[in-house]
Amino acid sequence: MPSPEEANTSASPPATFKSFGLIEPLLEALEQLKFSTPTDIQREALPHALEGRDVIGVASTGSGKTAAFALPILQKLWEEPKGLFACILAPTRELAYQISQQFEALGAPIGVRCVVLVGGMDRIQQSIALAKRPHIIVATPGRLNDHLENTKGFSLRGLKFLVMDEADRLLDMDFGPVIDKILKVIPKERTTYLFSATMTTKVAKLQRASLSNPVRVEVSTKYSTVSTLLQYYLFIPLSQKDVHLIYLANSLAQNSMMVFTRTVHDAQRLSMILRTLGFPAVPLHGQLSQSQRLGALSKFKSGGRSILVATDVASRGLDIPSVDVVINFDIPTHSKDYIHRVGRTARAGRSGKSITLVTQYDVELIQRIEEVIGKQMELWPADMDEVALLRERVDEAGRLAATELRDNGINGGHGRKRRREEGGNRDDRDRDDDMVEAGMPASRKKGRKRT
């Protein structure tokens, strides 16, 4: 198979969506959504996609990738409105819902019908929705394959478009085997789009197996953070992480914040401590039901809650426009996870801040991250007298949270026990339920207090 043709990025980019030749209903939808100027990935990908080419798009999170593949699909659907038209594969449930919402918003003038197929939701209701012949399916691979194998009358034989969004993440989550199954039951004569933040060897292999003479567009040659993001660190003893988080929440109270933790236990525990101390916080993690997770996101997006305490389930792909500050309560083990976390703020040209809590066990991790992003973080100025004044109240709130967690059967070892029982060979359909949480080497857990 020929190697992907490199797109010419030196040409003068078109100024407007209209210059791409998009139909009037789509231009109206773009205007209503206040999409006035195409982003870099949209400028590079849309001309080739609208010509009917397979496209590999390499772009960082928050770059406008969804519209880059949704617009050509919707334009072609307008020309050939026939049954099930496109399938979009996404690595997480939340991203699947977000993609579907954008398709529905952009496709509202042409009456597009979307169905979301993800784990944690009722299969029968999904089967009923599939029977109504939607135009677009947005799915996590495990649940899509489940319907292909078990839902009578459902197939992808007439599919015109396949999109693999966040392809590197799909493969990191071991969806490779189930994607291979899906590729075997869809038409070879189709248009395929593959979007990824990085071009790993796994993604390159997937590209060779699934795309035909693709054009490659790349708008982020270096894996890095945006220039409008101010990045800080706070060096503290491990035993004082909770009180320093509350100090930051207090001093940044007028801002919307996302707090990232490594474990479900800490996400739940910290949201309880914050609420006990009067902060409007809501947790988001993989042990919540799907409706609870969507509810948490909705409250945060609408401003009903100004602090979202999350595991890495929320670090990738989700477009939450109003995040002012990202706080890394735990440092992720992988540098790219740090970049995705802090990418929740400073989006679309806006400014933002990230603050990372660094303990005596995290120095190597933070140095590795600084090497990858090519810059050193600045020290966040903290008033130690204010921190000391908060200590007693935070400790009391922590004891209350620990008691409540024990009463509800949630403890720090829950996730480890489940992983031991599952042994790593999980059924494909259940992978939807296991959102990736970055692990930490055992040597770095030394001294961690368990409630």
Side-chain angles (χ1 to χ4, degrees):
M1 183 179 289
S3 62
E5 172 191 325
E6 294 292 331
N8 180 10
T9 56
S10 61
S12 176
T16 64
F17 285 107
K18 189 170 185 178
S19 61
F20 294 131
L22 290 170
I23 57 173
E24 199 60 39
L26 292 180
L27 292 174
E28 287 173 15
L30 286 163
E31 190 176 339
Q32 286 182 350
L33 293 169
K34 296 184 169 51
F35 289 5
S36 53
T37 307
T39 65
D40 290 345
I41 188 64
Q42 291 161 6
R43 276 197 298 269
E44 299 300 334
L46 280 170
H48 302 288
L50 289 165
E51 286 173 6
R53 296 288 301 274
D54 282 8
V55 173
I56 300 168
V58 183
S60 58
T61 185
S63 60
K65 289 181 288 185
T66 306
F69 60 74
L71 289 168
I73 290 172
L74 292 169
Q75 176 115 336
K76 194 69 176 174
L77 178 62
W78 173 260
E79 296 168 8
E80 302 176 20
K82 294 178 184 175
L84 179 56
F85 201 73
C87 177
I88 293 87
L89 297 179
T92 67
R93 305 170 187 177
E94 284 73 21
L95 183 55
Y97 278 102
Q98 182 176 292
I99 292 168
S100 174
Q101 287 163 5
Q102 189 142 57
F103 262 98
E104 288 172 346
L106 289 169
I110 64 173
V112 71
R113 296 191 304 277
C114 294
V115 166
V116 179
L117 304 179
V118 296
M121 303 299 279
D122 187 87
R123 283 186 179 84
I124 295 173
Q125 291 299 320
Q126 291 174 352
S127 300
I128 292 168
L130 288 172
K132 294 179 180 176
R133 297 177 61 79
H135 302 115
I136 312 289
I137 287 174
V138 189
T140 48
R143 181 53 67 93
L144 176 63
N145 189 60
D146 182 30
H147 280 288
L148 285 168
E149 292 179 347
N150 300 305
T151 299
K152 192 174 179 182
F154 172 59
S155 79
L156 298 176
R157 284 193 293 270
L159 198 70
K160 303 293 184 188
F161 285 86
L162 174 70
V163 181
M164 288 173 279
D165 193 20
E166 303 278 11
D168 51 346
R169 179 79 155 179
L170 281 167
L171 297 173
D172 282 348
M173 294 174 72
D174 295 328
F175 279 127
V178 74
I179 290 172
D180 289 342
K181 284 185 183 179
I182 293 165
L183 290 174
K184 286 175 184 172
V185 297
I186 60 176
K188 287 188 168 36
E189 293 297 317
R190 64 173 191 273
T191 304
T192 306
Y193 303 145
L194 186 153
F195 283 83
S196 183
T198 54
M199 278 304 292
T200 63
T201 52
K202 283 183 180 178
V203 174
K205 186 178 177 183
L206 180 61
Q207 160 226 310
R208 289 193 297 273
S210 58
L211 281 78
S212 173
N213 190 26
V215 59
R216 174 169 168 171
V217 294
E218 186 164 352
V219 297
S220 58
T221 53
K222 187 183 177 191
Y223 201 56
S224 62
T225 52
V226 296
S227 58
T228 52
L229 173 68
L230 302 174
Q231 299 175 73
Y232 299 92
Y233 75 94
L234 194 51
F235 191 65
I236 57 174
L238 182 66
S239 61
Q240 294 183 24
K241 284 180 84 172
D242 288 1
V243 70
H244 278 84
L245 174 65
I246 300 304
Y247 166 76
L248 290 172
N250 201 39
S251 56
L252 297 165
Q254 301 306 309
N255 297 271
S256 64
M257 283 174 262
M258 288 186 73
V259 179
F260 281 102
T261 70
R262 187 172 299 109
T263 66
V264 167
H265 177 259
D266 273 345
Q268 196 70 32
R269 185 180 67 83
L270 291 172
S271 65
M272 289 176 176
I273 291 173
L274 284 158
R275 285 201 299 266
T276 299
L277 296 173
F279 296 97
V282 63
L284 177 66
H285 54 71
Q287 285 185 19
L288 298 174
S289 70
Q290 188 58 41
S291 59
Q292 286 173 321
R293 283 154 67 171
L294 292 173
L297 269 178
S298 177
K299 285 176 186 173
F300 185 65
K301 282 184 175 183
S302 66
R305 295 286 187 276
S306 62
I307 303 176
L308 184 68
V309 188
T311 58
D312 281 309
V313 67
S315 70
R316 185 89 172 241
L318 297 185
D319 185 19
I320 306 172
S322 60
V323 181
D324 301 315
V325 182
V326 167
I327 297 173
N328 287 303
F329 182 81
D330 295 310
I331 301 181
T333 308
H334 302 293
S335 301
K336 70 176 183 179
D337 291 329
Y338 169 86
I339 292 167
H340 285 300
R341 285 182 180 188
V342 300
R344 299 309 93 214
T345 187
R347 294 171 76 83
R350 291 183 290 268
S351 61
K353 297 185 185 74
S354 71
I355 306 166
T356 299
L357 301 186
V358 181
T359 74
Q360 63 268 39
Y361 305 108
D362 302 324
V363 175
E364 184 185 326
L365 288 171
I366 202 73
Q367 288 173 340
R368 196 185 307 160
I369 288 168
E370 287 179 332
E371 190 176 333
V372 169
I373 64 176
K375 63 176 73 171
Q376 284 196 325
M377 300 180 201
E378 295 179 42
L379 179 64
W380 181 265
D383 186 328
M384 290 301 110
D385 291 336
E386 277 191 43
V387 173
L389 288 172
L390 290 167
R391 188 71 185 267
E392 191 175 334
R393 290 177 61 211
V394 173
D395 287 348
E396 177 59 27
R399 284 191 289 271
L400 291 171
T403 302
E404 188 174 342
L405 286 168
R406 274 197 300 271
D407 291 346
N408 292 333
I410 300 173
N411 59 69
H414 178 81
R416 290 195 303 277
K417 181 183 175 188
R418 188 178 68 175
R419 283 193 292 275
R420 280 199 303 271
E421 289 169 350
E422 291 172 342
N425 293 319
R426 292 166 295 196
D427 186 272
D428 284 329
R429 73 185 66 168
D430 292 330
R431 283 196 179 92
D432 294 351
D433 298 328
D434 291 327
M435 298 298 104
V436 170
E437 292 177 23
M440 189 177 191
S443 62
R444 302 240 171 247
K445 291 180 181 172
K446 187 169 61 174
R448 168 152 298 205
K449 289 202 294 186
R450 285 291 177 191
T451 52

